[in-house]
Amino acid sequence: MMNTQILALDIAGNPFDWIPPEDAILYYALGKVAWELGDREFIFRGGYSRSGVQSKIAVKPIIAIVGSEIMTRMFRTGLPLTHQNDLLFKRDRYTCAYCGNRFAHKELSRDHILPRSRGGKDTWMNCVTACKRCNQEKGNLLVEQFRPLIYVPYVPCRAEHYLLSGRNILADQHEYLAAQLPKHSRLLN
């Protein structure tokens, strides 16, 4: 249970966050869980009442949380491209955009299609996965001056983002998120 994450949704069923079970317990206790999904159930036990009955809360792997303004604000902001490159490498399936070979995480780097030295930004649409050799060879050249891209970058949708960022995703959670993937998602192949 220590590594389990609960998939939190807004009331409409849009992924909002991966939360620890302790946070889910609080939402249940405060009556903020609108609905829940999943075959699995995690039982958490608390203290005893004066009559000797132990309190318990059952947590499902997917919960929809009522009334959070924070969720609404998060949907307006773009999905983060983290500095560790984990999500980028997963999006690109650990495949170099220039040579097409697959590599281990430690052998990869982030390449800016339009190099930062030429004004390129650190965004999903300007970044691809490159092996360290190709990235070093490319340097600050433009793609046209180096090699064509084998695949094009794209901004992951929310469902992709949570599939890419989740750890120890349960089958129920995976099925829920996979059902929301667009047809062009690399996670479907």
Side-chain angles (χ1 to χ4, degrees):
M1 187 64 211
M2 294 302 260
N3 292 328
T4 299
Q5 299 176 78
I6 306 301
L7 180 61
L9 312 173
D10 69 6
I11 195 74
N14 299 305
F16 165 67
D17 202 2
W18 288 111
I19 62 173
E22 296 79 17
D23 289 359
I25 292 167
L26 182 61
Y27 286 122
Y28 274 95
L30 294 173
K32 289 196 160 222
V33 175
W35 49 272
E36 57 192 11
L37 290 173
D39 294 331
R40 208 154 167 203
E41 193 172 71
F42 304 101
I43 306 294
F44 294 90
R45 300 181 194 295
Y48 289 89
S49 68
R50 289 186 182 171
S51 61
V53 177
Q54 187 178 26
S55 65
K56 72 176 188 174
I57 293 180
V59 175
K60 293 285 192 169
I62 303 168
I63 60 172
I65 301 169
V66 176
S68 175
E69 295 78 33
I70 296 169
M71 287 184 234
T72 307
R73 275 186 262 140
M74 279 188 71
F75 283 120
R76 290 188 198 130
T77 62
L79 297 169
L81 178 62
T82 62
H83 294 294
Q84 294 82 15
N85 295 320
D86 295 337
L87 302 180
L88 177 69
F89 295 169
K90 286 179 183 178
R91 179 199 72 178
D92 296 343
R93 302 180 77 186
Y94 298 91
T95 303
C96 176
Y98 300 104
C99 68
N101 294 319
R102 290 187 68 158
F103 293 91
H105 190 284
K106 66 182 180 182
E107 299 169 342
L108 293 170
S109 61
R110 177 186 304 194
D111 178 61
H112 294 82
I113 298 168
L114 176 62
R116 292 178 76 169
S117 64
R118 295 180 181 223
K121 303 285 186 221
D122 213 20
T123 65
W124 284 105
M125 291 303 291
N126 190 49
C127 292
V128 291
T129 299
C131 68
K132 289 183 179 178
R133 181 176 176 211
C134 285
N135 201 353
Q136 188 172 16
E137 284 179 27
K138 179 179 175 270
N140 74 341
L141 296 174
L142 298 174
V143 172
E144 302 82 37
Q145 298 169 316
F146 182 58
R147 287 187 211 147
L149 291 171
I150 291 175
Y151 55 81
V152 294
Y154 69 94
V155 179
C157 70
R158 288 207 161 277
E160 283 175 301
H161 173 75
Y162 287 104
L163 278 169
L164 294 171
S165 65
R167 293 184 319 265
N168 302 318
I169 299 174
L170 301 173
D172 295 335
Q173 296 164 333
H174 188 275
E175 287 175 26
Y176 184 85
L177 292 168
Q180 298 180 24
L181 293 177
K183 290 182 180 172
H184 72 272
S185 173
R186 291 190 188 124
L187 301 181
L188 292 173
N189 299 333

